[in-house]
Amino acid sequence: SCAAQARSLAAQGAAIIDLGGESTRPGAKILWEGDELQRVLPVVHALRESGLVLSLDTRKAAVMEQGLAAGAHIINDVSALLYDDRALDVVRAKTCPIVLMHFPGTPQDPHSNDVYGDALTDVYDWLESRIAAVVAAGIDRQRIISDPGIGFGKRQVAHNLQILNGLSLFHTLGVPILFGASRKRLIGALSNEAAADQRLGGSLALALKAAEQGAQIIRVHDVFETAQALRVWRGLRDTALVPSATLA
């Protein structure tokens, strides 16, 4: 079951479990909110006493409202609260963290309008503006997490790499960074079009690159492998800070 899978992921090292009932892949159909609720609410109910931190990946106000009431802790909205007219009001009335993700198109099609002058600064400016608007609407900045939206309306490999190489810039937005590139097409494009289930190595490389630039949350599929890679990376860094013993 999904609840058992969530517990397994937590045991493998996941600090947050992200629950989503609607695909936002390119070309995916928009799901009716009733169907989305039927998919996610039973899982939230099953996990509400588990002690796990539950993130709800949705752009629909009804799902946010009922999901939070059922026990979810974080809202992760790929539309940055722009898809549903009620979403801003629902989140404002709560105290949960809210993830605002960049997308260049319309809230209905976050993969459209794939045009950038400079991808890094364009995405940064969009997030800066959106965060300002959400704060002005009454949501405390301390609740906001930014996501540059790797792969969302960024079909060119170069655009994604520009954002990734400059990820540390997003710290100047003054909010935590969520980075998600696990198994995305970017990896296939750089590795002979490897299928989604053959992208572990690339996913680990991108996760480590994001960690090096201080991303506070890294969204992954392969929890055990990523947690292990990050522990080794952290061990290397910690050891480097300890002075070596002097040989007489």
Side-chain angles (χ1 to χ4, degrees):
S1 72
C2 290
Q5 172 71 355
R7 291 188 175 92
S8 173
L9 294 175
Q12 293 171 42
I16 300 169
I17 304 298
D18 197 38
L19 305 172
E22 178 186 48
S23 172
T24 49
R25 293 191 306 269
K29 292 183 179 179
I30 293 175
L31 187 68
W32 176 53
E33 63 184 30
D35 289 337
E36 189 175 342
L37 281 163
Q38 284 189 337
R39 292 179 180 182
V40 300
L41 278 185
V43 186
V44 176
H45 280 296
L47 293 171
R48 67 178 301 161
E49 304 297 334
S50 67
L52 302 180
V53 178
L54 305 178
S55 166
L56 197 56
D57 183 350
T58 184
R59 49 187 173 171
K60 300 185 182 73
V63 181
M64 295 177 190
E65 200 165 37
Q66 295 186 46
L68 290 169
H73 306 99
I74 301 169
I75 296 297
N76 180 13
D77 184 357
V78 299
S79 81
L81 300 177
L82 288 166
Y83 175 82
D84 191 320
D85 291 341
R86 284 204 315 119
L88 190 64
D89 290 335
V90 168
V91 173
R92 179 170 47 208
K94 306 295 183 180
T95 58
C96 63
I98 169 70
V99 180
L100 304 177
M101 191 195 80
H102 169 270
F103 62 95
T106 65
Q108 288 71 33
D109 183 7
H111 295 282
S112 61
N113 194 31
D114 185 15
V115 179
Y116 300 92
D118 177 85
L120 177 62
T121 55
D122 287 354
V123 171
Y124 179 93
D125 290 346
W126 189 98
L127 282 170
E128 183 179 46
S129 175
R130 187 60 191 145
I131 290 168
V134 169
V135 170
I139 293 176
D140 192 325
R141 177 180 288 270
Q142 292 185 341
R143 297 173 55 193
I144 297 173
I145 299 164
S146 72
D147 179 350
I150 298 295
F152 278 82
K154 303 168 185 74
R155 284 171 290 185
Q156 290 191 33
V157 172
H159 291 157
N160 291 289
L161 296 180
Q162 287 164 14
I163 294 164
L164 179 58
N165 280 324
L167 191 68
S168 56
L169 174 67
F170 292 97
H171 290 296
T172 62
L173 292 170
V175 301
I177 300 167
L178 184 152
F179 177 83
S182 176
R183 299 186 185 177
K184 289 194 173 176
R185 287 183 301 169
L186 160 69
I187 299 165
L190 293 172
S191 56
N192 299 318
E193 301 303 327
D197 62 355
Q198 296 294 313
R199 297 175 184 171
L200 174 59
S203 297
L204 294 175
L206 297 181
L208 291 173
K209 181 69 172 178
E212 284 179 355
Q213 295 190 74
Q216 287 91 344
I217 305 172
I218 301 175
R219 189 175 184 268
V220 305
H221 298 88
D222 303 289
V223 173
F224 176 84
E225 294 83 355
T226 310
Q228 184 180 79
L230 289 170
R231 286 190 189 103
V232 172
W233 168 81
R234 173 64 70 184
L236 290 167
R237 287 170 57 88
D238 289 349
T239 301
L241 296 175
V242 179
S244 299
T246 303
L247 294 177

